[in-house]
Amino acid sequence: MATKLGEVTCRGVRIAVKNTDVNMFVDEEDIMKAIKKGYGDIMNKSIMAVNKDGLERILVKNPMIKSAQVYYSLDGYIHVSIKQREPVLRVMTGEGYYVDSDGKVMPLSSKFTSRVVVATGDISKKYACEKLAPFVMSLRDDSFLDAYIEQLIVRSNEDIVMIPKVGDFRIILGKVENSRERLDKLILFLKNGIAKKGWNHYKEVNLKFDNQVVCVRK
């Protein structure tokens, strides 16, 4: 005789956290603690008595969680699928924070540090979310720049200075708006120009001038 879901007792919780190879902000223990604190003990209750929507609402209160999906199975387990928020930028102003791929602020974690571009300087949260994070995501879309740019310095006039992972020099970008042409100019220069002179030949590379790259020697 087939078992009805309403007659099934909860035997446990099975948790899957996505993208743990990239970020590890939450784990199974964190999820179980959140369920117990926010919902109470669910073991040995009728599985249908556990409110799936309520559990999901409790879990997404965690600032590191983007979404949570909860469903039952006839073997008595509650399944929880967690999608973590994805930081793209770390702002080192004040106590510091991340901005995620949705352009929202998320706190730093004592458990895990995400390897993303770091920004310092004169940065408001509005600027970080609306301008800086989309710019960093455009860098991530380019495999060369994604691997090359390590830090952004924001000046008071919103000019951006980029610090590369290779080479002891600064790259003056200017404003993030309409920067694609300047970035393409930088890629061409790095691949062709600076490779011939040597990575430590210059102290500054300026992209703000039309149709040229202006370099300052050491």
Side-chain angles (χ1 to χ4, degrees), residues 156-210:
S156 57
N157 65 350
E158 294 189 358
D159 271 5
I160 299 292
V161 179
M162 301 189 294
I163 307 298
K165 293 178 183 177
V166 179
D168 184 21
F169 57 89
R170 294 183 170 204
I171 302 165
I172 312 299
L173 175 73
K175 304 290 189 291
V176 297
E177 291 86 353
N178 305 311
S179 58
R180 187 64 251 178
E181 188 176 331
R182 280 169 282 149
L183 292 172
D184 289 340
K185 187 168 59 174
L186 172 65
I187 293 170
L188 192 63
F189 174 72
L190 292 174
K191 289 182 175 179
N192 298 318
I194 205 167
K196 296 174 183 177
K197 290 285 187 180
W199 291 100
N200 294 311
H201 188 72
Y202 302 110
K203 67 177 181 180
E204 184 177 287
V205 174
N206 196 325
L207 307 173
K208 291 179 67 175
F209 300 92
D210 290 340

Side-chain angles (χ1 to χ4, degrees), residues 39 51-62 68-70:
Y39 199 89
N51 186 308
K52 293 186 293 184
D53 293 338
L55 269 184
E56 290 173 359
R57 285 194 295 269
I58 286 165
L59 293 170
V60 295
K61 286 180 180 178
N62 185 314
Q69 289 185 313
V70 178

Side-chain angles (χ1 to χ4, degrees), residues 63-81:
M64 301 303 183
I65 294 176
K66 180 174 182 175
S67 64
Q69 289 185 313
V70 178
Y71 64 94
Y72 316 126
S73 57
L74 278 173
D75 59 2
Y77 284 92
I78 292 173
H79 299 260
V80 179
S81 178

Side-chain angles (χ1 to χ4, degrees), residues 89-97 117-125 127-128 132 151-163 170:
L89 170 70
R90 181 176 181 178
V91 179
M92 302 293 285
T93 299
E95 294 181 357
Y97 54 90
V117 170
V118 172
T120 59
D122 195 356
I123 306 171
S124 68
K125 286 185 177 178
Y127 176 80
L132 210 52
Q151 181 183 346
L152 305 176
I153 300 170
V154 182
R155 292 174 171 170
S156 57
N157 65 350
E158 294 189 358
D159 271 5
I160 299 292
V161 179
M162 301 189 294
I163 307 298
R170 294 183 170 204

Side-chain angles (χ1 to χ4, degrees), residues 78-111:
I78 292 173
H79 299 260
V80 179
S81 178
I82 297 294
K83 187 174 183 180
Q84 300 178 92
R85 291 172 70 181
E86 180 192 3
V88 296
L89 170 70
R90 181 176 181 178
V91 179
M92 302 293 285
T93 299
E95 294 181 357
Y97 54 90
Y98 292 115
V99 181
D100 74 1
S101 55
D102 294 321
K104 296 180 180 178
V105 171
M106 60 184 288
L108 300 181
S109 169
S110 59
K111 177 178 290 189

